[in-house]
PDB file of all heavy atoms in Angstrom:
ATOM      1  N   LEU I  66    -187.755  38.375 101.674  1.00 96.00           N
ATOM      2  CA  LEU I  66    -188.855  37.612 101.078  1.00 96.00           C
ATOM      3  C   LEU I  66    -189.999  38.495 100.583  1.00 96.00           C
ATOM      4  O   LEU I  66    -190.995  37.985 100.085  1.00 96.00           O
ATOM      5  CB  LEU I  66    -189.409  36.605 102.099  1.00 96.00           C
ATOM      6  CG  LEU I  66    -188.416  35.571 102.644  1.00 96.00           C
ATOM      7  CD1 LEU I  66    -189.102  34.671 103.672  1.00 96.00           C
ATOM      8  CD2 LEU I  66    -187.831  34.727 101.513  1.00 96.00           C
ATOM      9  N   PHE I  67    -189.879  39.773 100.756  1.00 96.00           N
ATOM     10  CA  PHE I  67    -191.001  40.649 100.432  1.00 96.00           C
ATOM     11  C   PHE I  67    -190.918  41.150  98.994  1.00 96.00           C
ATOM     12  O   PHE I  67    -189.912  40.981  98.308  1.00 96.00           O
ATOM     13  CB  PHE I  67    -191.079  41.836 101.397  1.00 96.00           C
ATOM     14  CG  PHE I  67    -191.141  41.446 102.847  1.00 96.00           C
ATOM     15  CD1 PHE I  67    -190.530  42.210 103.815  1.00 96.00           C
ATOM     16  CD2 PHE I  67    -191.807  40.288 103.253  1.00 96.00           C
ATOM     17  CE1 PHE I  67    -190.577  41.855 105.167  1.00 96.00           C
ATOM     18  CE2 PHE I  67    -191.859  39.925 104.595  1.00 96.00           C
ATOM     19  CZ  PHE I  67    -191.246  40.708 105.556  1.00 96.00           C
ATOM     20  N   GLN I  68    -191.982  41.792  98.593  1.00 95.00           N
ATOM     21  CA  GLN I  68    -192.077  42.331  97.235  1.00 95.00           C
ATOM     22  C   GLN I  68    -190.885  43.237  96.896  1.00 95.00           C
ATOM     23  O   GLN I  68    -190.441  44.020  97.734  1.00 95.00           O
ATOM     24  CB  GLN I  68    -193.375  43.129  97.114  1.00 95.00           C
ATOM     25  CG  GLN I  68    -193.516  43.870  95.795  1.00 95.00           C
ATOM     26  CD  GLN I  68    -194.855  44.561  95.666  1.00 95.00           C
ATOM     27  OE1 GLN I  68    -195.868  44.033  96.103  1.00 95.00           O
ATOM     28  NE2 GLN I  68    -194.867  45.720  95.086  1.00 95.00           N
ATOM     29  N   ASP I  69    -190.412  43.122  95.664  1.00 96.00           N
ATOM     30  CA  ASP I  69    -189.330  43.979  95.188  1.00 96.00           C
ATOM     31  C   ASP I  69    -189.911  45.349  94.853  1.00 96.00           C
ATOM     32  O   ASP I  69    -190.511  45.567  93.801  1.00 96.00           O
ATOM     33  CB  ASP I  69    -188.694  43.340  93.948  1.00 96.00           C
ATOM     34  CG  ASP I  69    -187.532  44.163  93.409  1.00 96.00           C
ATOM     35  OD1 ASP I  69    -187.346  45.321  93.850  1.00 96.00           O
ATOM     36  OD2 ASP I  69    -186.816  43.643  92.536  1.00 96.00           O
ATOM     37  N   MET I  70    -189.696  46.283  95.781  1.00 97.00           N
ATOM     38  CA  MET I  70    -190.307  47.605  95.640  1.00 97.00           C
ATOM     39  C   MET I  70    -189.690  48.413  94.504  1.00 97.00           C
ATOM     40  O   MET I  70    -190.288  49.378  94.027  1.00 97.00           O
ATOM     41  CB  MET I  70    -190.158  48.384  96.950  1.00 97.00           C
ATOM     42  CG  MET I  70    -190.806  47.723  98.128  1.00 97.00           C
ATOM     43  SD  MET I  70    -192.598  47.750  98.025  1.00 97.00           S
ATOM     44  CE  MET I  70    -192.911  49.420  98.594  1.00 97.00           C
ATOM     45  N   SER I  71    -188.479  48.050  94.079  1.00 97.00           N
ATOM     46  CA  SER I  71    -187.858  48.819  93.001  1.00 97.00           C
ATOM     47  C   SER I  71    -188.612  48.610  91.687  1.00 97.00           C
ATOM     48  O   SER I  71    -188.540  49.436  90.788  1.00 97.00           O
ATOM     49  CB  SER I  71    -186.387  48.423  92.837  1.00 97.00           C
ATOM     50  OG  SER I  71    -186.276  47.126  92.281  1.00 97.00           O
ATOM     51  N   LYS I  72    -189.362  47.495  91.610  1.00 97.00           N
ATOM     52  CA  LYS I  72    -190.080  47.200  90.370  1.00 97.00           C
ATOM     53  C   LYS I  72    -191.515  47.717  90.371  1.00 97.00           C
ATOM     54  O   LYS I  72    -192.040  48.084  89.327  1.00 97.00           O
ATOM     55  CB  LYS I  72    -190.123  45.688  90.147  1.00 97.00           C
ATOM     56  CG  LYS I  72    -188.791  45.081  89.749  1.00 97.00           C
ATOM     57  CD  LYS I  72    -188.977  43.603  89.462  1.00 97.00           C
ATOM     58  CE  LYS I  72    -187.768  43.008  88.751  1.00 97.00           C
ATOM     59  NZ  LYS I  72    -187.916  41.564  88.563  1.00 97.00           N
ATOM     60  N   SER I  73    -192.128  47.643  91.518  1.00 97.00           N
ATOM     61  CA  SER I  73    -193.542  47.999  91.564  1.00 97.00           C
ATOM     62  C   SER I  73    -193.981  48.294  92.988  1.00 97.00           C
ATOM     63  O   SER I  73    -193.406  47.781  93.943  1.00 97.00           O
ATOM     64  CB  SER I  73    -194.382  46.827  91.017  1.00 97.00           C
ATOM     65  OG  SER I  73    -195.733  47.187  90.995  1.00 97.00           O
ATOM     66  N   THR I  74    -194.986  49.101  93.110  1.00 98.00           N
ATOM     67  CA  THR I  74    -195.589  49.351  94.415  1.00 98.00           C
ATOM     68  C   THR I  74    -197.014  49.809  94.142  1.00 98.00           C
ATOM     69  O   THR I  74    -197.570  49.515  93.069  1.00 98.00           O
ATOM     70  CB  THR I  74    -194.783  50.395  95.213  1.00 98.00           C
ATOM     71  OG1 THR I  74    -195.389  50.547  96.500  1.00 98.00           O
ATOM     72  CG2 THR I  74    -194.721  51.752  94.503  1.00 98.00           C
ATOM     73  N   LEU I  75    -197.634  50.499  95.078  1.00 98.00           N
ATOM     74  CA  LEU I  75    -198.901  51.169  94.811  1.00 98.00           C
ATOM     75  C   LEU I  75    -198.776  52.601  95.304  1.00 98.00           C
ATOM     76  O   LEU I  75    -197.806  52.944  95.959  1.00 98.00           O
ATOM     77  CB  LEU I  75    -200.082  50.443  95.461  1.00 98.00           C
ATOM     78  CG  LEU I  75    -199.966  49.870  96.865  1.00 98.00           C
ATOM     79  CD1 LEU I  75    -199.776  50.929  97.896  1.00 98.00           C
ATOM     80  CD2 LEU I  75    -201.225  49.076  97.202  1.00 98.00           C
ATOM     81  N   THR I  76    -199.724  53.413  94.941  1.00 98.00           N
ATOM     82  CA  THR I  76    -199.744  54.767  95.488  1.00 98.00           C
ATOM     83  C   THR I  76    -200.891  54.854  96.494  1.00 98.00           C
ATOM     84  O   THR I  76    -201.832  54.052  96.455  1.00 98.00           O
ATOM     85  CB  THR I  76    -199.911  55.853  94.406  1.00 98.00           C
ATOM     86  OG1 THR I  76    -201.212  55.715  93.801  1.00 98.00           O
ATOM     87  CG2 THR I  76    -198.846  55.730  93.330  1.00 98.00           C
TER      88      THR I  76
END
Side-chain angles (χ1 to χ4, degrees):
Chain I
L66 301 178
F67 305 145
Q68 174 176 323
D69 181 349
M70 300 290 280
S71 71
K72 288 184 167 176
S73 183
T74 183
L75 41 65
T76 65

